[in-house]
Amino acid sequence: MSAFFERAGPRWYTIPAHRPFAQDLARGLQDALAPLGPEALSQATVLTPTRRGARALADAFVAAAEGRAVLPPQMRPLGDLDEGEPPFEPGDLALDLPAAIEPLRRRFELTRLVAEHWDLLEGRDRTAASALEMADALGSFLDSLQIEEKEPFEKLAGLVEADLADHWRVSRRFLEMALTEWPKRLAALGVVDVSERRVKLLRRLAQVWTDHPPQGVLVAAGSTGTAPATAALLKVIAQAPQGCVVLPGLDEALSDEAWAEVGEQHPQGAMKRLLDAAEVDRQDVEVWPASLVFSARGRWRQRVINEALRPPERTADWLRVIAQLRTEAESEGIDPIAVGMEGLSLVSARSEEEAATVAALLLREALETPDRTAALVAPDRVLARRVAAKLARWGVIPDNSAGETLAGCPCGALAGLVARAAVDPLNPVNLLAIVKHPYVRLGDPEALERHGLRGARPWTWDSLKARLAERPDALALAGRLEAILAALSREEAAPADFARAVAAAMEALADDGAGDAGDLWSGHGGEAMSRLLAGLIAESTGLPNASPRGFADLLDRLMEGETVRAGGATHPRLRILGAIEARLVRADRLIVAGLEEGVWPRGAPLDPFLSRPMRETLGLPPPERRVGLAAHDFAQAACAPEVILLHAERREGAPSVKSRWLWRLETLARGAGVAIPGRQQALDWARGLDAPADYQPAKRPAPIPPAADRPTALFVTRVESLTRDPYSVWARDILKLRAMDRPDEPVDARARGTAIHAAFERFALAYPTELPPDTAAIFEDFYLEELERAGMPREALAREAALAREAAAWIADLEVRRRGDGRGIHVEKTGELIVDIEGRPFKLSAKADRIEVDPQGFGHILDYKTGKAPSQKVVDAGFSPQLTLTAAILAHGGFAELGRLAPGELTYLEITGRRPAGKEEVRAMAGDESHAAAELALAGLKTLIARYWDPAQPFVSRTAPQFVHQYASDYDHLARVFEWSTSGEEGDE
């Protein structure tokens, strides 16, 4: 027998939190067993909490051998309470136990059970997704019962007090049904729940080792014995002839009074329950021999962290504790708080994105030192994935235990897109995401995107094909898409039918024409997606029928619950770890992130079935137990030699609250007059990573095009742009840049303007002289038809119908009034006028919405507006010369069909359908007033064009910035208007 195990059992050890757990464990076992021969170590058995813990320990044994060949001990995962870690099955203990049900199969079976008894859940909407949600909650309840080994039947009857809400009575009845029917279903399938099977295995193993103690070296390391069955097994292991239990970070320095008050939320809570269950006094737990290496910094770091996390009842005497610590350290001549803070730093980032950048930079910096290791510890999977994505910038792939959700994998993303296509097959954004997906091989989507899916959305496949009539390649692609997506059900159907159709559509989309689906089902993501769809097809019988949207929601929820851990080559010195894994794994630099309340620790999960008192009645652990376990994991990580605590001040756009542990640590440090060091340099790196070296705000652009390229012809609307924003004229009329519409462009405002013009034109052409008796109804129909043709979303047409009715009634009255003198109506007429400017011709053009010629020979000019018309002040100042310049063209005979006419009233028609439904805004009266306004505008045009024909005159952005919010431009982003307009540029006009 090794001298290490010579003392009588039980043997309980601890590795202090500031020591590297796996390395000390490996070195201690190697030192103890090496003298017994080369095979002694390989014959030992080490039980770890998780599989990743076993792998980390294997690496530690290799490192401890210092280059010598070594046969490590047998390492087995004891089985933790998280998903995905199978139990330890030694010998023949499991021969008479049924197999464990597959996790996905279990979800479907529980969902079926919920759906079949939905009537017990009074007042809830029955959908496949809601049934799955309730099934997941029921699964968690069953797991808790099995892990805690509770038989709740005798307690369920009195579970609900008379004064509790009916909701809890419903829950009780439902749970009674589930506890009766679920075991029957498992028996019929010949399987058992994973948690139940694990508990039985651990209990059997504990009994076997009690009756026949193993004679070899047996070590249980890193577990806190949260489950009763695990705690019982640890007690047996500690009493074995050569057995011992090694606890992670037991606080031996905590006072007896504070230890007595350790509760569920304290980091030592789990180990206190374990020691109490094993009837072991804390003083009997020894420090692991390989960890007896003196380290002042490590020792005082652990003391500081443990004191910061002491029970709330004992935080009132922190000043006394600080004084006591300093008294203890007097002989060393140091300040223990300051020494404990050495190697510890705090970074407060502005946002989650900045926090991820800081973490990635600090990890990357560690690689600059040969053999230096670094790890990120974060319970927030989203943050972990962000950091991994940022590290890819430098071609670094860390060993990431968080993996990614199935929904984030290429195959899962395609499945989600195809499922959404059943809801709305012609959604342009969804269609483009499908045809541009890397697995889809239907052809080049560029023409389909540019000519078919940008702008107002098509509502039918025929309308999409009409847009693509002159693009045969795009037309063929649209035809293939239509044929593939047509197989997706538009009606309610069984989830299995939807899954079958989605899988078939995915394969058709990925088909290269020769029956090869490429990489669709390959890799970890493809395999996981194929298992999920196969499970839906084979196992979802009994789930309620779903609508297309309901199935898409169901599939999203299923994929979010599946984690894909990609394999492949990863960097050997970088790791991204979950909180529980950080107990065993240690790195030279440890970044502890996600230190916000609700993230670490997480808030207590909502239980739809049980209230807190009901859980207590059933003997189930309170939600605070998870907080205590998380606190222990934080304390373990925070005691590493170099630790960077990372906190984001804002999460999801809202201010965050610092984690309670970080707040306590800062409070203790302030009480001691010590500040936790920051890392401003890391923040500077993150903020400067993508910033230019010498950033200067953009100045207002003022391009100076060659004289030969300056415009010699403009429409009056472009003259209006030249008065307000010459830069936009340079971009559009000189450079010929045209803004591309976005896919599924919001068209509400534009559609109203297009539709009102088209409706007026149709009405005037249909009824040029005599008005029909039902003028309002006819105009309303014209307007609604044009709204739909202009791309108004169907859901918006119901609202527009009411506005159209009010607008049509106002327009009917307008037509009666304005046509009363028999005037002629001319719509959408184009006029031109050649103007001599400094001896050169300039062509001015206008397209008039409506010109009315009255018997007196006046040409009244009307312009339709569905928004606010330009004010009189703006028109008089020359910033909106559209009507006045149109009047000048009319006065000089520029409208060939009408001849030379005296300008009449210049009027804007505001048509909104609201109250009032419309307004006539006259900007110049007929006669001398409108004539003077026209001539003044023409003179202003000559001055304006002459100025911009000057080769030295720049086309400055926004010369009238007072209109920057009122009139948006397609070119503001090119001109960087926001940047220069807020930078306080000197000499701003």
Side-chain angles (χ1 to χ4, degrees):
M1 179 183 292
S2 166
F4 189 72
F5 297 96
E6 285 181 353
R7 77 177 181 87
R11 303 173 195 84
W12 291 81
Y13 294 95
T14 182
I15 294 179
H18 67 275
R19 295 295 304 164
F21 190 96
Q23 289 87 333
D24 278 9
L25 182 68
R27 190 171 65 255
L29 284 175
Q30 194 166 52
D31 292 345
L33 300 179
L36 302 181
E39 296 182 357
L41 184 62
S42 64
Q43 293 172 354
T45 300
V46 180
L47 305 182
T48 62
T50 64
R51 288 187 177 276
R52 288 184 66 86
R55 290 197 295 270
L57 187 56
D59 294 340
F61 276 107
V62 173
E66 297 179 346
R68 301 187 305 273
V70 62
L71 290 174
Q74 302 177 56
M75 287 169 282
R76 300 286 186 270
L78 187 60
D80 58 29
L81 307 185
D82 293 336
E83 289 187 25
E85 296 294 345
F88 175 42
E89 299 187 14
D92 57 358
L93 294 178
L95 290 180
D96 62 340
L97 280 180
I101 188 172
E102 289 289 333
L104 186 61
R105 175 79 180 273
R106 183 180 192 243
R107 292 185 82 187
F108 289 143
E109 291 291 345
L110 284 173
T111 305
R112 180 188 298 115
L113 180 67
V114 169
E116 290 173 351
H117 297 84
W118 195 261
D119 56 318
L120 294 177
L121 298 170
E122 301 171 3
R124 296 180 182 269
D125 294 332
R126 182 176 183 268
T127 66
S130 60
L132 177 65
E133 181 180 3
M134 296 301 293
D136 288 342
L138 178 60
S140 297
F141 167 71
L142 294 171
D143 287 340
S144 295
L145 289 179
Q146 293 158 2
I147 291 168
E148 298 297 326
E149 302 175 68
K150 301 296 181 182
E151 295 292 341
F153 271 108
E154 66 277 6
K155 298 180 180 179
L156 278 175
L159 190 62
V160 183
E161 302 292 339
D163 58 344
L164 290 183
D166 287 341
H167 165 78
W168 301 118
R169 302 180 194 280
V170 171
S171 295
R172 187 198 67 193
R173 290 196 300 271
F174 187 83
L175 293 178
E176 288 174 337
M177 175 279 301
L179 291 172
T180 301
E181 297 300 324
W182 182 239
K184 294 180 182 178
R185 180 57 180 164
L186 289 176
L189 295 173
V191 295
V192 294
D193 277 329
V194 173
S195 298
E196 181 182 358
R197 192 172 192 273
R198 178 181 294 140
V199 167
K200 288 183 177 179
L201 281 172
L202 293 176
R203 286 293 182 184
R204 289 186 181 189
L205 184 59
Q207 187 61 49
V208 168
W209 282 351
T210 299
D211 298 339
H212 307 285
Q215 299 303 306
V217 172
L218 180 62
V219 179
S223 176
T224 56
T226 308
T230 306
L233 181 62
L234 294 179
K235 180 178 179 181
V236 172
I237 292 172
Q239 293 172 337
Q242 294 196 78
C244 69
V245 176
V246 185
L247 300 176
L250 178 67
D251 186 1
E252 300 174 293
L254 194 64
S255 67
D256 292 338
E257 295 83 359
W259 178 259
E261 293 174 350
V262 165
E264 295 285 1
Q265 297 191 51
H266 193 272
Q268 299 290 308
M271 284 183 287
K272 184 176 188 295
R273 287 192 305 274
L274 173 62
L275 294 177
D276 290 345
E279 300 176 342
V280 175
D281 190 271
R282 182 174 54 132
Q283 308 306 323
D284 294 332
V285 180
E286 299 182 12
V287 176
W288 184 250
S291 300
L292 292 171
V293 178
F294 178 77
S295 169
R297 186 170 74 175
R299 172 194 170 200
W300 292 116
R301 169 77 63 76
Q302 183 175 355
R303 290 290 302 276
V304 168
I305 297 296
N306 289 343
E307 292 297 344
L309 303 186
R310 61 171 30 218
E313 297 80 5
R314 292 287 164 179
T315 56
D317 59 352
W318 259 343
L319 293 177
R320 183 185 63 80
V321 169
I322 292 169
Q324 180 180 338
L325 290 175
R326 286 174 169 160
T327 300
E328 291 180 31
E330 282 182 356
S331 59
E332 300 177 34
I334 60 172
D335 181 351
I337 310 295
V339 171
M341 291 295 179
E342 290 178 4
L344 184 71
S345 55
L346 170 64
V347 177
S348 290
R350 293 170 179 163
S351 64
E352 302 157 278
E353 185 68 18
E354 187 173 86
T357 304
V358 168
L361 284 165
L362 290 171
L363 290 171
R364 177 63 184 83
E365 184 204 16
L367 299 182
E368 294 298 303
T369 303
D371 300 326
R372 185 171 173 78
T373 60
L376 170 71
V377 179
D380 182 2
R381 288 185 173 184
V382 175
L383 177 65
R385 290 175 190 136
R386 278 181 168 172
V387 173
K390 290 181 179 295
L391 284 170
R393 176 184 191 141
W394 301 290
V396 176
I397 302 175
D399 182 3
N400 186 1
S401 67
E404 62 178 334
T405 63
L406 181 53
C409 295
C411 190
L414 181 59
L417 292 169
V418 172
R420 291 291 169 189
V423 181
D424 185 1
L426 280 160
N427 182 303
V429 176
N430 198 69
L431 270 184
L432 282 175
I434 289 175
V435 297
K436 291 187 175 186
H437 191 282
Y439 288 167
V440 173
R441 297 186 285 183
L442 295 182
D444 187 355
E446 181 181 357
L448 173 65
E449 174 186 357
R450 184 163 187 177
H451 301 285
L453 298 178
R454 285 187 174 270
R457 62 166 297 164
W459 291 102
T460 65
W461 287 103
D462 288 340
S463 63
L464 174 60
K465 291 175 181 177
R467 296 184 183 185
L468 303 172
E470 299 180 2
R471 306 282 173 176
D473 292 345
L475 191 61
L477 175 55
R480 291 186 66 186
L481 270 175
E482 180 184 14
I484 292 171
L485 299 182
L488 300 173
S489 175
R490 304 287 187 270
E491 307 296 333
E492 281 201 358
D497 294 336
F498 274 115
R500 193 175 291 108
V502 166
M506 291 171 65
E507 291 184 341
L509 290 166
D511 189 356
D512 63 353
D516 180 12
D519 297 330
L520 179 62
W521 306 117
S522 64
H524 296 277
E527 293 173 5
M529 193 68 236
S530 65
R531 285 196 303 270
L532 177 56
L533 290 175
L536 271 170
I537 294 170
E539 311 291 350
S540 64
T541 305
L543 292 187
N545 284 355
S547 65
R549 187 178 300 278
F551 176 76
D553 293 340
L554 173 68
L555 187 63
D556 284 347
R557 186 175 182 86
L558 284 168
M559 290 194 296
E560 287 295 331
E562 295 288 320
T563 299
V564 178
R565 290 180 172 88
T570 58
H571 201 287
R573 294 194 281 134
L574 284 190
R575 289 179 175 175
I576 296 179
L577 305 170
I580 192 172
E581 295 159 325
R583 294 181 191 172
L584 303 186
V585 180
R586 188 58 58 87
D588 297 324
R589 169 177 288 178
L590 210 60
I591 302 170
V592 180
L595 293 176
E596 296 86 45
E597 235 9 67
V599 179
W600 203 5
R602 294 191 183 279
L606 296 177
D607 190 335
F609 294 119
L610 298 175
S611 64
R612 186 182 298 268
M614 293 164 71
R615 292 184 65 87
E616 185 177 355
T617 300
L618 293 177
L620 297 179
E624 289 80 9
R625 179 168 295 183
R626 289 182 178 271
V627 176
L629 294 172
H632 175 257
D633 294 333
F634 168 77
Q636 285 286 107
C639 288
E642 183 186 357
V643 179
I644 301 161
L645 306 176
L646 185 53
H647 160 68
E649 295 173 352
R650 299 182 71 85
R651 289 188 65 87
E652 298 179 356
S656 66
V657 177
K658 285 184 179 179
S659 170
R660 64 192 69 178
W661 307 317
L662 180 56
W663 179 85
R664 279 165 158 250
L665 186 59
E666 287 186 304
T667 303
L668 178 65
R670 280 198 300 270
V674 177
I676 301 177
R679 284 190 176 242
Q680 184 60 42
Q681 186 182 37
L683 284 172
D684 293 340
W685 289 345
R687 292 166 186 172
L689 183 62
D690 294 312
D694 296 317
Y695 172 71
Q696 294 293 331
K699 294 188 178 298
R700 187 201 303 253
I704 305 176
D709 294 329
R710 297 183 179 231
T712 57
L714 288 175
F715 268 79
V716 293
T717 51
R718 301 307 299 151
V719 173
E720 193 165 307
S721 297
L722 189 61
T723 63
R724 296 193 190 122
D725 186 15
Y727 181 91
S728 68
V729 175
W730 171 78
R732 175 173 174 172
D733 299 279
I734 297 177
L735 297 186
K736 308 300 182 185
L737 298 178
R738 294 289 188 272
M740 293 182 69
D741 291 330
R742 290 175 292 174
D744 200 7
E745 179 84 30
V747 295
D748 287 20
R750 187 178 63 182
R752 289 191 196 98
T754 302
I756 203 68
H757 282 75
F760 265 115
E761 182 177 8
R762 286 178 62 183
F763 187 82
L765 294 176
Y767 306 99
T769 55
E770 297 293 329
L771 292 174
D774 52 348
T775 293
I778 292 173
F779 192 92
E780 179 184 350
D781 290 342
F782 285 170
Y783 183 41
L784 290 175
E785 289 170 10
E786 295 298 334
L787 280 173
E788 186 169 5
R789 186 175 300 170
M792 176 70 70
R794 291 177 178 175
E795 61 270 17
L797 283 175
R799 178 197 65 212
E800 292 297 329
L803 299 177
R805 189 174 303 111
E806 297 295 326
W810 182 83
I811 289 168
D813 179 67
L814 174 82
E815 293 288 351
V816 170
R817 287 188 291 101
R818 296 197 70 90
R819 295 192 187 197
D821 58 1
R823 63 183 61 187
I825 307 298
H826 306 273
V827 293
E828 303 299 330
K829 298 296 183 182
T830 300
E832 297 177 353
L833 177 63
I834 304 298
V835 182
D836 182 88
I837 302 176
E838 297 183 346
R840 296 170 57 192
F842 177 86
K843 184 170 75 173
L844 177 66
S845 305
K847 188 172 185 179
D849 291 346
R850 175 164 169 160
I851 298 176
E852 301 175 352
V853 181
D854 67 14
Q856 288 76 36
F858 285 107
H860 305 277
I861 302 173
L862 287 77
D863 190 73
Y864 313 131
K865 297 291 183 186
T866 52
K868 187 70 176 174
S871 67
Q872 185 73 57
K873 181 178 180 181
V874 169
V875 172
D876 292 344
F879 286 120
S880 287
Q882 181 179 354
L883 284 181
T884 51
L885 286 176
T886 303
I889 296 174
L890 181 64
H892 289 80
F895 289 90
E897 297 180 31
L898 304 180
R900 187 184 295 266
L901 293 174
E905 293 177 352
L906 308 183
T907 305
Y908 288 108
L909 296 183
E910 287 185 6
I911 306 159
T912 62
R914 296 178 177 83
R915 294 184 180 179
K919 291 169 62 178
E920 294 179 75
E921 295 283 349
V922 179
R923 294 295 175 253
M925 301 300 294
D928 292 343
E929 185 177 342
S930 61
H931 178 77
E935 292 303 317
L936 183 62
L938 192 59
L941 170 74
K942 294 178 180 180
T943 302
L944 181 70
I945 298 302
R947 181 195 312 162
Y948 281 96
W949 276 356
D950 181 351
Q953 174 64 36
F955 283 69
V956 179
S957 174
R958 293 289 186 178
T959 54
Q962 63 266 39
F963 299 111
V964 69
H965 298 296
Q966 188 175 357
Y967 298 97
S969 168
D970 290 331
Y971 307 97
D972 282 351
H973 62 296
L974 295 180
R976 297 164 73 172
V977 169
F978 177 80
E979 188 173 346
W980 62 255
S981 64
T982 58
S983 64
E985 85 172 301
E986 297 181 4
D988 195 10
E989 296 179 8

